[in-house]
Amino acid sequence: MELFQAKDHYILQQGERALWCSRRDGGLQLRPATDLLLAWNPICLGLVEGVIGKIQLHSDLPWWLILIRQKALVGKLPGDHEVCKVTKIAVLSLSEMEPQELELELCKKHHFGINKPEKIVPSPDDSKFLLKTFTNIKSNVSAPNKKKVKESKEKEKLERRLLEELLKMFMDSESFYYSLTYDLTNSVQRQSTGEKDGRPLWQKVDDRFFWNKYMIQDLSEIGTPDVDFWIIPIIQGFVQIEELVVNYEPSDDDKSSPETPPQEATCVDDIHPRFLVALISRRSRHRAGMRYKRRGVDKNGNVANYVETEQLIHVHNHTLSFIQTRGSVPVFWSQVGYRYNPRPRLDKSEKETVDCFCAHFEEQLKIYKKQVIVNLVDQAGREKIIGDAYLKQVLLFNNPRLTYVSFDFHEHCRGMKFENVQTLTDAIHDIILDMKWCWVDQAGVICKQEGIFRVNCMDCLDRTNVVQAAIARVVMEQQLKKLGVMPPEQPLPVKCNRTYQIMWANNGDSISRQYAGTAALKGDFTRTGERKLAGVMKDGVNSANRYYLSRFKDAYRQAVIDLMQGIPVTEDLYSIFTKEKEHEALQKETQRSHQELISQLLQSYMQLLLPGDEKFHGGWALIDCDPRVLQQLERSEGDNLVTVCPPSCGKGASQKPSHPQLHGLEGAGCARYSAHAQWQPATVEVGMTGGESAVPFSAGARCSADRRCRAPIGSRPLCLALQLPTLWNLSPMVFSL
């Protein structure tokens, strides 16, 4: 659709329809497309995909109009329904302020012959220019109070900061999805059993997952059928759609059978059945927010980080759906403070919690009939207080349709043995089969899912995603065997399994970014089925990033989410804004001091280590492991640094080395190293080296045969492969010519 800028309006137009957005009061009005002729000097700014809604970032400042600037096709669901992801948005201030650089795709009708999307603005209006000048003179004469000017500037700064966070929320996380023809807010089962009427799509949606409901409220209240065209229900969550082929390895008996024609290399359904698998996660807009800002339950029974995940399988005309949910422990609890991992605490007594706990599960049982709670929090340590409170409330609720399963994830999977999750799936296997799934074909509903699994840990992110993926895998294998797509005794083919694991890992990463700001921890296991040290180290980085985000950035993201849902912002954002600026200044000063310290250390090492006839060329820092961690790391894993040095002058050697030489290896804290001869290396490279020649490193070691003298090995330069543990202290390293 085309976007026009006029003197008093922004006008969206497609075909015979037009939506006028006032630049004076933010009002929305439906008008025929021919009314464009009545607008004052309309100029086409470019093309947009649709309207998300309006948002006001401060009560004293104008409204902003949010438009879909760019979309990406995710895939097609059964029935040829396209699902799109919002990749870029455009925001327009509904005021007299000129729009910023929007970078819209140009309309060929109005921008014929223009190749680059240059900013197009109307020529300055003389009367507007005179009015602006008069206003400036008037404001200068009136000499306004300095305090009011300061407050106004603070509001504008805060608005810019919130606007920046809004743009990041939509464009960095890429977590908003929509379909013009399919109801993404409702599962297959709810759609198949709902009323068949002629209502428009936006009126059939599940209110819990209609994320832009408040932002589009002005349009929905117009009440005429023409408004249906402009309202696009948007969900926050995750959608991925893949087509998989059940194709086993050539060694399989069926494929090596002489009855199988050798010329059948293409994927024909009779030989290699195909099926569509889709993963759709819907985040609730109730009690939405960031990890340390939204925990537990609220007074209405809504819980934080509530997500419904639907796994959808489609084979020929059969569609099978299985639903699971996740959500914070429904008691009043929080983690307060700016420590790395604050200790959880209960905010209300057992008696005060009962009504809200009951309200939550009564709604869940009304929607899903039965609930199987899978609680993954630790049964010892700091998480125990939350797990115990949960169990007490379940016992007080005392409902036969509620089943409680406790699985101490960290205890059972200690030592990175995440494959032990199968212990849980084996224990609840009968419950999984009894729960069934929704099965629909062209004739209607064949069977329904009777109940759901409600899985939770503390954050309902990392552990939860691993367990939900394991449960969903059991269900999918049963479904494919029922449909005859998989042989009864065969596991899922390797390629299918790999794609399936990646889908669930992507799902976990997306939900984690929406709630905690980073990718999911333990994602390497979900993605590959193995837990390795590299994944542990990556989790360490993500944990540190979560801490930083919760310290400052989450307050702005939470404020934006609240404003999107029409919830008043209660946190003092001005004080956080000031603290953030102070923190950034302190961080820059600390970084400068750190760099100066490294420089001083290098200068000191130069004086101590370098002979007088050698010239300093450059220096860097090597990783030095904390000795407390060294015992926990396996000798075969770590960061590998390959660096090049020449033979040194040792025991009686008279010639001066002509290639770079390393000094200070004694302080590097190397776990092991290996020596390899190379021809005339000229650069320093990073990489991996093969390992049987590697020997333990000892203090004073050199690259000679006895590891202590500096005599060369042959006449060629050496390549030292240093294997280094991964947790860091900095130890200077001098590189000389």
Side-chain angles (χ1 to χ4, degrees):
M1 59 185 67
E2 299 160 337
L3 172 64
F4 293 88
Q5 176 190 349
K7 181 180 178 181
D8 297 324
H9 293 86
Y10 286 110
I11 303 169
L12 290 159
Q13 183 171 310
Q14 183 167 343
E16 300 300 319
R17 303 178 178 91
L19 175 65
W20 289 48
C21 311
S22 173
R23 298 176 66 181
R24 296 185 181 275
D25 58 10
L28 303 178
Q29 186 180 10
L30 298 179
R31 298 175 68 168
T34 53
D35 281 5
L36 185 65
L37 299 172
L38 305 177
W40 181 274
N41 190 26
I43 294 175
C44 182
L45 299 179
L47 299 175
V48 296
E49 300 293 341
V51 181
I52 295 175
K54 296 191 311 179
I55 189 171
Q56 190 176 29
L57 300 175
H58 196 284
S59 57
D60 297 333
L61 295 172
W63 288 83
W64 290 83
L65 180 66
I66 308 174
L67 305 172
I68 302 172
R69 174 158 66 97
Q70 195 174 94
K71 66 179 181 181
L73 179 65
V74 176
K76 292 184 178 181
L77 291 172
D80 210 31
H81 299 289
E82 290 188 350
V83 178
C84 297
K85 174 170 59 178
V86 178
T87 56
K88 291 182 181 178
I89 62 169
V91 289
L92 295 167
S93 176
L94 296 179
S95 66
E96 293 184 356
M97 183 175 68
E98 288 296 324
Q100 302 297 317
E101 184 64 53
L102 299 176
E103 299 180 357
L104 299 180
E105 180 185 348
L106 295 184
C107 168
K108 293 180 181 179
K109 182 167 61 175
H110 299 101
H111 299 152
F112 181 76
I114 301 176
N115 296 322
K116 295 183 179 180
E118 298 175 354
K119 185 177 179 181
I120 300 175
V121 296
S123 57
D125 183 80
D126 292 339
S127 60
K128 187 181 289 187
F129 179 78
L130 291 173
L131 181 62
K132 187 176 181 182
T133 305
F134 176 76
T135 304
N136 289 338
I137 295 171
K138 185 179 178 181
S139 62
N140 290 332
V141 171
S142 61
N145 191 318
K146 290 183 179 180
K147 185 177 180 181
K148 290 184 178 179
V149 173
K150 184 180 179 182
E151 288 178 356
S152 177
K153 287 183 178 179
E154 285 181 348
K155 287 178 184 177
E156 290 174 359
K157 286 181 181 178
L158 181 59
E159 184 188 42
R160 284 197 298 271
R161 183 67 184 82
L162 292 173
L163 189 63
E164 177 187 335
E165 198 62 41
L166 175 70
L167 291 168
K168 286 181 180 178
M169 184 174 174
F170 273 92
M171 300 202 291
D172 289 357
S173 64
E174 294 189 350
S175 59
F176 291 91
Y177 299 82
Y178 71 94
S179 173
L180 299 177
T181 58
Y182 186 85
D183 184 3
L184 288 176
T185 67
N186 275 306
S187 65
V188 170
Q189 182 160 316
R190 290 199 295 273
Q191 290 185 52
S192 61
T193 56
E195 296 180 7
K196 308 293 182 183
D197 54 31
R199 288 183 301 164
L201 182 66
W202 68 273
Q203 292 183 5
K204 297 179 182 179
V205 297
D206 190 323
D207 184 73
R208 297 174 297 167
F209 309 119
F210 188 0
W211 255 74
N212 58 329
K213 180 181 179 180
Y214 176 77
M215 291 187 286
I216 211 77
Q217 189 173 356
D218 283 4
L219 266 179
S220 61
E221 289 177 350
I222 292 176
T224 62
D226 293 339
V227 81
D228 301 339
F229 174 81
W230 299 100
I231 298 179
I232 303 175
I234 291 177
I235 66 166
Q236 187 186 33
F238 174 77
V239 181
Q240 186 171 348
I241 305 168
E242 299 288 345
E243 186 179 53
L244 303 182
V245 180
V246 182
N247 183 9
Y248 291 94
E249 296 295 330
S251 59
D252 289 348
D253 294 337
D254 291 340
K255 197 159 188 177
S256 61
S257 172
E259 298 177 1
T260 305
Q263 68 272 17
E264 292 289 338
T266 57
C267 294
V268 182
D269 276 357
D270 292 339
I271 301 172
H272 304 310
R274 295 171 178 266
F275 67 96
L276 186 82
V277 58
L279 210 54
I280 304 173
S281 284
R282 314 167 176 100
R283 273 174 64 84
S284 174
R285 65 185 184 89
H286 301 302
R287 196 157 177 74
M290 305 306 292
R291 183 167 67 142
Y292 286 129
K293 302 297 180 182
R294 291 290 181 270
R295 294 287 209 190
V297 71
D298 66 11
K299 62 181 181 180
N300 298 316
N302 301 309
V303 295
N305 198 26
Y306 182 87
V307 182
E308 179 188 82
T309 299
E310 180 179 19
Q311 179 176 278
L312 190 149
I313 306 293
H314 183 73
V315 182
H316 298 299
N317 296 320
H318 296 268
T319 301
L320 296 88
S321 162
F322 183 75
I323 295 173
Q324 300 179 80
T325 62
R326 68 178 77 188
S328 190
V329 175
V331 298
F332 290 97
W333 66 281
S334 60
Q335 286 177 280
V336 180
Y338 292 121
R339 293 180 59 189
Y340 175 67
N341 186 13
R343 185 175 293 275
R345 72 180 190 189
L346 294 175
D347 296 328
K348 289 190 177 182
S349 67
E350 183 180 294
K351 186 177 180 180
E352 293 174 302
T353 304
V354 168
D355 290 342
C356 299
F357 183 92
C358 292
H360 172 71
F361 275 106
E362 282 170 0
E363 184 194 30
Q364 294 297 296
L365 294 174
K366 181 181 178 181
I367 298 171
Y368 302 110
K369 309 306 179 188
K370 295 179 182 178
Q371 291 262 302
V372 178
I373 298 170
V374 180
N375 184 17
L376 305 176
V377 302
D378 296 348
Q379 296 174 21
R382 62 171 58 202
E383 295 183 4
K384 186 177 187 298
I385 185 175
I386 305 300
D388 289 349
Y390 197 0
L391 179 57
K392 287 179 182 177
Q393 291 295 329
V394 170
L395 294 173
L396 289 171
F397 189 56
N398 192 25
N399 191 304
R401 294 186 292 164
L402 201 64
T403 303
Y404 182 90
V405 178
S406 181
F407 182 78
D408 191 330
F409 187 96
H410 288 147
E411 178 63 29
H412 285 86
C413 302
R414 188 181 299 277
M416 301 193 297
K417 298 192 180 299
F418 283 22
E419 60 273 13
N420 290 346
V421 170
Q422 188 173 348
T423 306
L424 171 63
T425 55
D426 289 344
I428 62 174
H429 191 265
D430 290 341
I431 299 177
I432 296 174
L433 297 182
D434 290 342
M435 192 173 287
K436 303 178 185 176
W437 51 79
C438 176
W439 186 348
V440 179
D441 66 3
Q442 288 179 322
V445 180
I446 296 174
C447 72
K448 296 180 181 179
Q449 182 175 340
E450 298 175 358
I452 59 162
F453 286 99
R454 186 198 191 277
V455 187
N456 74 273
C457 52
M458 291 295 282
D459 298 327
C460 303
L461 295 176
D462 316 313
R463 290 172 276 181
T464 297
N465 202 66
V466 171
V467 170
Q468 283 196 337
I471 294 172
R473 180 194 173 93
V474 173
V475 173
M476 186 179 73
E477 289 183 348
Q478 291 294 325
Q479 290 172 335
L480 294 177
K481 289 172 182 177
K482 282 275 187 184
L483 292 168
V485 177
M486 271 177 60
E489 302 301 324
Q490 288 275 19
L492 200 65
V494 174
K495 289 183 179 179
C496 291
N497 186 50
R498 189 180 299 119
T499 303
Y500 180 76
Q501 288 176 324
I502 290 171
M503 289 179 71
W504 270 97
N506 292 342
N507 177 67
D509 286 347
S510 185
I511 294 172
S512 180
R513 288 191 188 97
Q514 294 157 26
Y515 189 52
T518 71
L521 310 184
K522 306 172 181 65
D524 59 324
F525 176 79
T526 313
R527 201 173 292 275
T528 65
E530 297 179 351
R531 185 65 163 157
K532 294 185 177 180
L533 185 62
V536 176
M537 295 305 168
K538 184 179 178 182
D539 287 356
V541 174
N542 283 331
S543 294
N545 286 338
R546 285 180 179 182
Y547 168 69
Y548 171 70
L549 291 168
S550 67
R551 182 70 173 87
F552 291 113
K553 306 292 184 182
D554 281 0
Y556 301 114
R557 179 64 61 89
Q558 184 64 57
V560 169
I561 292 171
D562 288 343
L563 291 168
M564 287 173 66
Q565 304 306 326
I567 301 170
V569 178
T570 56
E571 194 161 4
D572 185 2
L573 295 177
Y574 290 109
S575 63
I576 294 173
F577 188 76
T578 304
K579 289 178 183 177
E580 184 185 27
K581 295 298 181 185
E582 292 174 355
H583 175 78
E584 288 176 355
L586 180 62
Q587 198 174 34
K588 289 179 181 178
E589 182 63 32
T590 304
Q591 190 174 5
R592 282 195 296 269
S593 301
H594 182 72
Q595 291 171 347
E596 290 173 2
L597 180 60
I598 292 294
S599 178
Q600 292 173 6
L601 285 170
L602 285 172
Q603 294 294 329
S604 300
Y605 265 69
M606 282 169 55
Q607 296 175 5
L608 291 171
L609 295 174
L610 290 184
D613 56 349
E614 291 191 8
K615 181 182 177 182
F616 174 73
H617 182 71
W620 67 90
L622 281 180
I623 298 169
D624 184 11
C625 184
D626 185 335
R628 293 172 299 178
V629 183
L630 189 58
Q631 297 175 356
Q632 301 176 15
L633 300 176
E634 295 181 8
R635 189 176 282 265
S636 61
E637 298 196 16
D639 287 343
N640 290 264
L641 176 69
V642 178
T643 182
V644 174
C645 69
S648 304
C649 298
K651 292 189 177 181
S654 58
Q655 74 273 21
K656 184 176 181 289
S658 58
H659 295 283
Q661 180 173 346
L662 291 171
H663 298 273
L665 284 174
E666 296 86 355
C670 302
R672 66 180 189 172
Y673 78 95
S674 57
H676 302 276
Q678 300 287 341
W679 285 102
Q680 302 296 329
T683 60
V684 177
E685 299 178 330
V686 176
M688 299 286 291
T689 59
E692 291 192 1
S693 60
V695 296
F697 179 86
S698 59
R702 297 293 177 188
C703 49
S704 65
D706 65 2
R707 308 296 174 197
R708 280 182 290 276
C709 74
R710 300 179 67 185
I713 301 177
S715 59
R716 292 173 293 179
L718 289 175
C719 173
L720 280 179
L722 306 176
Q723 185 178 47
L724 304 168
T726 319
L727 299 182
W728 314 327
N729 291 318
L730 292 179
S731 177
M733 193 75 176
V734 178
F735 179 56
S736 68
L737 286 173

